[in-house]
Amino acid sequence: MIDSRFLAFANGVQAMRRRIEGQGLGICGALGVAGEPYPYQISTVRRILASTRIRHLIADEVGMGKTVQALMVLNALRMEKPQHRTVILTPPRLIDQWHKECWTRAHIKASVFDGSGELDEDFVRIINPQTLQSRRNSGDEGFEAFALDPDFFDLLIVDEPQLLPIEVIEAVQRASRDFRQVLLLSASPRLGEPNSRNRILSILEPERAMLAEASGKDLDGLIDGLEETALKEVAEDRLDGRLAFEQFSRSRRIIRSTRKQWPDFFPKRKYEAVVSDPIDGDVGRLRHGLDWLANDSSSSRDYWSNAQTLHRGSRSVRSLLTRPDLEDTESRRLALEFCDSGPGDARLDVLLDILRSIWERDQSQQVVIVAGDNPTIDFVSSNIRRFFGEGTGISTLRRPAGGANEALDDIREMQEAMARFSAGEDQVLFVGEWVQAGINLHYFASNIVFYNPPWDQNAIDQLIGRLDRLRPNALFKGERGKDIRIWTIVQPDTPESRVVAGLTRLGLFDEPMPPVPPDTAEDIRRALEDLAMANSQNDAFARLERIGDEIHETARISRLDDFAPPLTELATQHYAQLQGAYPPEPVISSKISETFTQKSEAALVGWLKFLSRARLFMLQGRKDKHDPETRFMTFWYQDTFRKAPPAIRLTEMEGTNWMSDHIPFLSRLRDLHRPPLMVVHTDDGEPEGRPLRFFSHGDSIHDDLIEQSLKAAREACSEDTLEVETIRFDEDNAAANRFRSKPVLAAAFCAEASAIGLPDQVFESYKATAEEIISEALGEGQRARLRSLFNLVTDWWRTDRRWLNLHLEPIFEVSAFFLAEDVWKVLPSAALLDLMKGDVDREKASFPRAYGNPHRIDASLVEEALEDLYSSQEATIRARWADSLRGLEDAVSHRLVVLAIEGDDLLSILKLNVERARKRAEVDDERQRQMQLGQLEAAERILRLAEVSIEARRSWLKGMTALLGEPIPDRLGTALFRPVPYQN
């Protein structure tokens, strides 16, 4: 227990302030992820968290942060329910990215399951989709299949579902109906295609999918009918347009943002195809090489890659044509002669001109050059140094020795190879077309030159995508002047020039390419092959243009979209509100900050300094033992257990040994490594490193610190003790000087709408009824189905609480009276905040300390003051919520109408089940009839629980406004003290 009541109270104030900030301005904890939120991300996350249920598709364009938005939602759900379980299904190439993002962004120690070992018991599991496929091999040694279990997991996240095998998608469709929460992420969900649209909608709208099946209709047809009826009612003024969209629209659970809506936040691509007139050696090598490739049977095994090599310099072509397994043909001999006619390459002059134009504008600009192979890299890099000087810094990512056909997928090796480029010491980075995922170049470069353009849309898209991403500081400074410059160098009238022209028609150089399914990728490949071989060129160009239009989809899939929420306007509004807001006082920070995130971080740092100055915890700045440029903080108890037990004990920090128990962390976005680090090395002898936390809402240590600080404050600051502490403040503390030796009675409180309007006892009342119905079930199977429905209703409860919290901003306030000549007067808020900050925001100021023996005060005086203080606090809540409460009744009515339709869908399904069970029971065989009657009874019991649950939800929503009108705040306790300045 903290021995000073004032200290416990002041620390509790900071903890409560931090908690309320996270729940309110922090969007139910969603903003605790390590990322500056963009306007559209804030709006999307708010919409999902406040929806009647979480079943959504986030269909933002490539590179707009769908993963971060999903993690923001997940962070909020995990803060709301610490035991929340999530399964993430993602294409194999994205598994590692998800694993790292979960920890570095969202405080999640996720496990990865690929079928090769035991399944860890983590609350978030990332699953290789292959483990969901046919289980015929599940008995093989070393392989385990995975089953999606909606009774075990709360949330199912599926990333890029259009890239998953059809067998996996079918398994997801079947299992997703019973999941309480579903998030789909796809830049290209192919909603314009009926089959793909039906597949997505059956996951987002399970009840309507089941109704369609029961009536023998197509889901698309059923929703068509709903939309048509809704449009008629809107036209006749019998239905509000917004309600029509939220109740019946195909796209009501689909959210899509595009780069065009937010041009200031993204780089703009400037593309130029530079034609290089070939020299004689280039022409001869290519002409005779292509003739050899077309006619020599020994070369036919890999026409595509060999043709690309022939477009490169003489060194690369010679390496290809001197292989010992090739026949000695005339065309091959002539091509080799042209290799010997000169080592030059006409594209080199063009490249040097491009580099000169870049560096004449800005010498510090860094350039990525894509060259096809190691001989080309050697040739070009040596000539760059010869032209610009030997001091020109060049980094190179080479194909690993002995792995001519292997991908360079070792991220650490790539980062080491480009370390000088990343540090800004080298101006040029050479990469091969084999280098794609795993490197983030957008932190450093904004210029990319394709000296040898890959003949593959995915390779080019990935390479440009390494630069064309959200940049640091883009959020509040915009991307004006941060264009991505892209060049391709081609020689005229060659297969390569036609391939590049085809990729241009595809739109590849103008905007990111969404992931496409295998059949579309194959169509692109065939069109490019036709262009390379000069077959039906006009038709190939037309096919690529058509594919480009289709994959950058702008499909309008609902006739009710005109009534959809204006997402861009709402996002702008939400973002402006957030940036104009300030964290609840008292904020211990003297730093001027631009964004809300920076303000929040500064306030957190202030609290951490308070904890250190109060000698409750020890904070130290440290350098990574392996990389001294990497800095972070460590968090541990001020004293070890050998001296004294900690006043605030955290669950995950044993505290017996600093070497094993201390926590490394970062608390500011600007301190994140680029890319963020999973681990750091705090001491010698740590080969594996220690997890590096981002200290914010959702991190277990951060959240436990809040809860344990609140617990310590409530224990120390109960109203039973009426003794007055004397607290010495810094001699320059204005409030301590002004109210010297005058008793101060301070109280802190918070008011969260969800806790007041939907208190736990409301749900407990429903729970008792539900448990009674469940107890009537005859078998474990029936009870399991009823409990599944009960779990769904529990999720409804949490959903409505989130919605209410987002509708009514939580309130936090500290207020106080001071005693002057036996009369209590209101202590000015500025003076109170000055005292509560403990002078931590002023360098070299003395920290407040208790001094001397406690003083007693007349109990009646304190009781009278407390009554007045509490009354004024309740009046503050009513006044602050007054305007919002007036609009709440309309919002509740609107929500109830939407819920009525969703409830009708659910009840329709369950009534159909009852009717089917009743018909099955109409048999002559008595034994079979009794068995069917048992199933009928079970179906009726599920229907009864659903009816009770829907009515309970309607009742608790309708009753919340009355409870909010008479709020009972959550009080921290009281502090009774006399401020006294230290004396010199």
Side-chain angles (χ1 to χ4, degrees):
M1 183 173 180
I2 302 176
D3 51 9
S4 167
R5 182 185 184 114
F6 171 82
L7 178 58
F9 179 80
N11 185 55
V13 163
Q14 290 300 316
M16 184 173 277
R17 187 209 67 75
R18 179 73 180 166
R19 192 186 78 180
I20 292 303
E21 176 193 315
Q23 289 297 324
L25 295 169
I27 313 179
C28 303
L31 297 191
V33 299
E36 184 78 45
Y38 284 74
Y40 61 88
Q41 294 175 337
I42 292 171
S43 186
T44 294
V45 170
R46 286 181 63 97
R47 179 175 168 184
I48 291 173
L49 290 176
S51 293
T52 54
R53 65 192 305 192
I54 295 179
R55 295 192 84 90
H56 291 80
L57 163 65
I58 303 178
D60 294 353
E61 286 185 337
V62 172
M64 295 188 70
K66 293 183 291 295
T67 302
V68 170
Q69 292 173 74
L71 291 175
M72 290 167 72
V73 172
L74 180 53
N75 203 50
L77 297 177
R78 283 166 51 83
M79 284 190 63
E80 177 183 65
K81 178 188 176 185
Q83 305 303 311
H84 185 280
R85 296 181 185 273
T86 301
V87 57
I88 301 171
L89 193 63
T90 179
R93 64 181 176 84
L94 298 177
I95 287 176
D96 185 63
Q97 175 185 327
W98 267 98
H99 183 246
K100 291 176 179 176
E101 292 275 286
C102 278
W103 175 248
T104 60
R105 301 287 183 192
H107 329 291
I108 296 167
K109 294 179 180 177
S111 62
V112 175
F113 180 68
D114 60 6
S116 60
E118 293 296 324
L119 184 61
D120 295 332
E121 287 297 321
D122 293 300
F123 290 112
V124 178
R125 300 178 187 172
I126 305 169
I127 306 302
N128 188 323
Q130 295 173 355
T131 64
L132 296 184
Q133 291 179 283
S134 175
R135 298 192 181 187
R136 60 181 176 271
N137 297 322
S138 61
D140 295 349
E141 185 177 353
F143 180 86
E144 292 291 336
F146 185 84
L148 296 172
D149 185 354
D151 290 324
F152 182 81
F153 293 104
D154 298 278
L155 169 65
L156 168 65
I157 297 177
V158 185
D159 192 13
E160 304 297 356
Q162 78 280 3
L163 299 183
L164 301 181
I166 188 64
E167 188 178 354
V168 172
I169 286 299
E170 289 173 351
V172 169
Q173 279 183 267
R174 291 190 298 270
S176 66
R177 291 185 174 183
D178 296 321
F179 269 86
R180 296 179 291 280
Q181 302 162 349
V182 176
L183 279 180
L184 305 180
L185 315 177
S186 175
S188 181
R190 301 161 64 196
L191 296 173
E193 300 177 16
N195 289 339
S196 179
R197 182 171 64 246
N198 262 318
R199 191 174 295 122
I200 294 292
L201 290 176
S202 70
I203 295 172
L204 300 181
E205 304 280 2
E207 289 81 17
R208 288 178 183 173
M210 287 186 279
L211 285 172
E213 291 172 6
S215 59
K217 294 181 181 178
D218 175 73
L219 176 57
D220 232 14
L222 183 142
I223 297 179
D224 257 336
L226 294 175
E227 287 195 350
E228 184 176 353
T229 301
L231 278 172
K232 289 180 181 178
E233 293 185 2
V234 171
E236 296 169 0
D237 289 331
R238 293 189 291 120
L239 178 63
D240 175 72
R242 181 184 161 203
L243 273 172
F245 175 84
E246 293 184 19
Q247 290 175 308
F248 305 113
S249 172
R250 266 189 192 85
S251 52
R252 65 177 182 158
R253 291 174 178 162
I254 298 172
I255 307 173
R256 181 171 177 82
S257 297
T258 66
R259 291 183 174 219
K260 291 179 181 178
Q261 293 171 311
W262 306 99
D264 285 346
F265 299 140
F266 292 90
K268 298 174 182 62
R269 295 186 178 189
K270 291 189 175 181
Y271 170 63
E272 183 178 354
V274 184
V275 177
S276 167
D277 291 328
I279 59 178
D280 291 343
D282 296 336
V283 174
R285 284 196 310 272
L286 183 59
R287 178 162 56 87
H288 293 295
L290 290 174
D291 181 61
W292 159 77
L293 194 57
N295 298 298
D296 188 348
S297 60
S298 66
S299 66
S300 61
R301 52 180 167 265
D302 192 1
Y303 182 94
W304 189 248
S305 63
N306 288 341
Q308 292 179 70
T309 302
L310 289 171
H311 284 75
R312 296 172 186 162
S314 59
R315 296 185 185 183
S316 300
V317 177
R318 169 165 282 282
S319 297
L320 170 65
L321 296 178
T322 54
R323 292 198 319 237
D325 59 328
L326 300 181
E327 297 177 11
D328 189 16
T329 63
E330 178 68 10
S331 56
R332 171 173 168 265
R333 183 183 61 78
L334 290 172
L336 280 170
E337 286 184 4
F338 276 98
C339 287
D340 296 333
S341 65
D345 185 339
R347 286 169 298 188
L348 178 62
D349 290 337
V350 174
L351 174 64
L352 296 176
D353 286 340
I354 291 172
L355 294 176
R356 180 169 52 194
S357 67
I358 293 171
W359 291 333
E360 281 178 350
R361 291 194 306 269
D362 185 351
Q363 186 64 36
S364 67
Q365 284 285 304
Q366 294 177 281
V367 185
V368 178
I369 300 175
V370 181
D373 52 24
N374 289 340
T376 303
I377 291 174
D378 291 336
F379 169 74
V380 177
S381 59
S382 64
N383 279 279
I384 288 176
R385 286 198 173 100
R386 185 177 297 118
F387 187 83
F388 290 102
E390 290 298 323
T392 305
I394 298 177
S395 296
T396 302
L397 291 179
R398 295 183 180 275
R399 191 186 298 276
N405 297 312
E406 296 178 4
L408 183 58
D409 55 5
D410 187 333
I411 307 302
R412 177 175 296 179
E413 184 177 341
M414 286 194 290
Q415 290 173 348
E416 290 174 355
M418 58 179 284
R420 286 181 54 83
F421 186 79
S422 302
E425 298 172 12
D426 287 349
Q427 294 172 278
V428 175
L429 174 67
F430 273 98
V431 300
E433 63 186 65
W434 59 87
V435 178
Q436 297 176 25
I439 53 173
N440 292 303
L441 301 176
H442 63 291
Y443 296 117
F444 324 112
S446 57
N447 306 282
I448 184 168
V449 182
F450 289 96
Y451 188 84
N452 295 127
W455 295 11
D456 176 82
Q457 72 278 5
N458 291 321
I460 289 182
D461 185 64
Q462 284 285 344
L463 286 161
I464 298 176
R466 298 304 94 202
L467 282 72
D468 185 8
R469 307 173 76 81
L470 292 173
R471 277 176 150 68
N473 301 324
L475 187 60
F476 36 87
K477 295 182 179 178
E479 278 292 349
R480 300 174 184 86
K482 297 290 186 180
D483 299 330
I484 297 296
R485 300 291 305 277
I486 306 164
W487 292 267
T488 56
I489 303 176
V490 294
Q491 295 176 347
D493 303 321
T494 60
E496 185 164 87
S497 67
R498 294 191 294 271
V499 168
V500 170
L503 293 171
T504 304
R505 296 285 187 96
L506 187 65
L508 187 62
F509 296 103
D510 297 324
E511 57 184 318
M513 183 174 175
V516 297
D519 55 347
T520 303
E522 184 59 28
D523 290 343
I524 295 172
R525 168 83 175 198
R526 285 196 295 266
L528 294 177
E529 287 180 349
D530 286 343
L531 290 174
M533 303 181 73
N535 296 330
S536 305
Q537 295 181 56
N538 290 336
D539 178 64
F541 281 132
R543 281 149 52 200
L544 289 169
E545 280 191 23
R546 184 180 66 254
I547 292 172
D549 291 339
E550 290 174 353
I551 62 177
H552 295 97
E553 61 177 288
T554 55
R556 183 182 174 90
I557 65 168
S558 172
R559 289 177 289 176
L560 295 172
D561 279 349
D562 288 336
F563 307 110
L567 288 183
T568 305
E569 295 176 21
L570 285 173
T572 302
Q573 175 186 333
H574 289 150
Y575 181 70
Q577 290 173 346
L578 181 68
Q579 300 312 323
Y582 285 87
E585 289 285 4
V587 169
I588 303 175
S589 174
S590 56
K591 182 179 178 182
I592 298 174
S593 305
E594 296 183 46
T595 69
F596 172 76
T597 301
Q598 291 174 325
K599 299 170 192 172
S600 175
E601 289 175 350
L604 174 59
V605 169
W607 182 27
L608 294 175
K609 289 181 179 178
F610 181 97
L611 291 168
S612 179
R613 294 286 306 279
R615 299 187 61 79
L616 294 173
F617 289 92
M618 179 171 62
L619 285 91
Q620 292 181 324
R622 299 183 70 83
K623 298 178 181 179
D624 190 285
K625 289 292 183 178
H626 291 186
D627 179 11
E629 296 298 316
T630 298
R631 299 170 181 268
F632 50 89
M633 299 291 294
T634 57
F635 189 73
W636 200 56
Y637 301 108
Q638 184 67 45
D639 295 308
T640 66
F641 276 79
R642 288 169 294 182
K643 297 180 181 179
I648 297 176
R649 174 76 183 275
L650 302 182
T651 305
E652 295 181 53
M653 285 173 54
E654 287 295 327
T656 55
N657 189 326
W658 188 91
M659 292 293 291
S660 60
D661 301 335
H662 67 275
I663 303 295
F665 73 96
L666 299 173
S667 61
R668 298 180 299 190
L669 290 177
R670 72 180 189 184
D671 295 331
L672 285 174
H673 195 272
R674 300 174 181 175
L677 295 174
M678 294 277 286
V679 299
V680 290
H681 302 83
T682 63
D683 292 284
D684 296 325
E686 284 184 349
E688 300 298 324
R690 190 180 294 264
L692 179 63
R693 295 171 177 268
F694 187 73
F695 202 70
S696 189
H697 302 288
D699 173 67
S700 56
I701 297 288
H702 169 278
D703 295 349
D704 194 28
L705 175 63
I706 290 176
E707 294 309 312
Q708 297 305 323
S709 293
L710 290 174
K711 179 182 177 182
R714 288 186 168 116
E715 289 176 354
C717 301
S718 67
E719 298 171 10
D720 300 335
T721 307
L722 301 176
E723 296 175 332
V724 182
E725 283 187 305
T726 299
I727 306 296
R728 283 184 166 176
F729 289 82
D730 186 80
E731 60 179 334
D732 292 330
N733 186 294
N737 279 290
R738 179 181 173 187
F739 298 96
R740 178 194 299 262
S741 298
K742 291 182 173 61
V744 173
L745 178 65
F749 74 94
C750 67
E752 294 180 77
S754 60
I756 296 173
L758 290 172
D760 291 340
Q761 57 264 35
V762 172
F763 184 76
E764 290 300 321
S765 174
Y766 156 77
K767 183 179 178 181
T769 304
E771 291 285 3
E772 183 177 344
I773 295 175
I774 294 171
S775 68
E776 296 172 1
L778 299 179
E780 186 55 41
Q782 289 185 27
R783 281 192 290 273
R785 293 173 64 191
L786 289 166
R787 287 211 168 274
S788 180
L789 177 56
F790 173 77
N791 290 336
L792 174 63
V793 181
T794 305
D795 192 63
W796 291 354
W797 168 257
R798 295 192 176 105
T799 296
D800 290 338
R801 285 169 66 96
R802 287 195 305 271
W803 169 79
L804 181 56
N805 253 4
L806 291 170
H807 194 90
L808 280 181
E809 191 76 28
I811 296 171
F812 169 71
E813 193 168 291
V814 188
S815 54
F817 294 152
F818 72 96
L819 187 63
E821 298 178 354
D822 291 339
V823 176
W824 291 102
K825 300 179 181 180
V826 175
L827 185 70
S829 58
L832 177 59
L833 297 180
D834 197 18
L835 296 173
M836 288 297 106
K837 293 177 183 179
D839 295 309
V840 175
D841 52 354
R842 293 192 293 120
E843 290 187 14
K844 300 181 180 179
S846 300
F847 189 77
R849 299 289 179 191
Y851 170 74
N853 296 320
H855 294 260
R856 292 195 172 274
I857 193 170
D858 186 271
S860 61
L861 278 174
V862 177
E863 290 171 1
E864 175 189 348
L866 272 178
E867 185 176 343
D868 291 343
L869 199 56
Y870 290 168
S871 296
S872 69
Q873 291 174 346
E874 291 167 15
T876 296
I877 299 171
R878 286 192 289 269
R880 292 266 293 274
W881 277 350
D883 291 339
S884 298
L885 283 175
R886 280 191 284 271
L888 182 62
E889 289 193 8
D890 289 340
V892 169
S893 297
H894 183 99
R895 191 172 182 87
L896 285 171
V897 173
V898 176
L899 290 176
I901 296 297
E902 294 181 0
D904 287 346
D905 287 345
L906 175 60
L907 292 178
S908 296
I909 291 294
L910 297 179
K911 287 175 181 177
L912 279 173
N913 291 341
V914 170
E915 188 59 32
R916 288 168 179 166
R918 184 173 286 116
K919 288 182 179 180
R920 288 196 297 268
E922 296 173 356
V923 293
D924 295 332
D925 185 278
E926 181 62 20
R927 183 177 178 181
Q928 187 176 0
R929 189 170 73 86
Q930 290 299 323
M931 183 177 65
Q932 295 296 338
L933 284 174
Q935 294 182 4
L936 171 61
E937 190 176 302
E940 289 175 335
R941 190 171 289 114
I942 292 173
L943 174 61
R944 180 155 62 96
L945 179 57
E947 290 171 337
V948 167
S949 302
I950 290 170
E951 176 57 29
R953 189 178 193 184
R954 187 183 70 84
S955 296
W956 74 52
L957 282 170
K958 290 181 68 175
M960 70 168 61
T961 50
L963 293 173
L964 289 166
E966 296 296 327
I968 301 175
D970 176 15
R971 295 191 171 95
L972 180 67
T974 60
L976 189 57
F977 64 97
R978 296 189 309 157
V980 176
Y982 278 101
Q983 301 296 317
N984 286 332

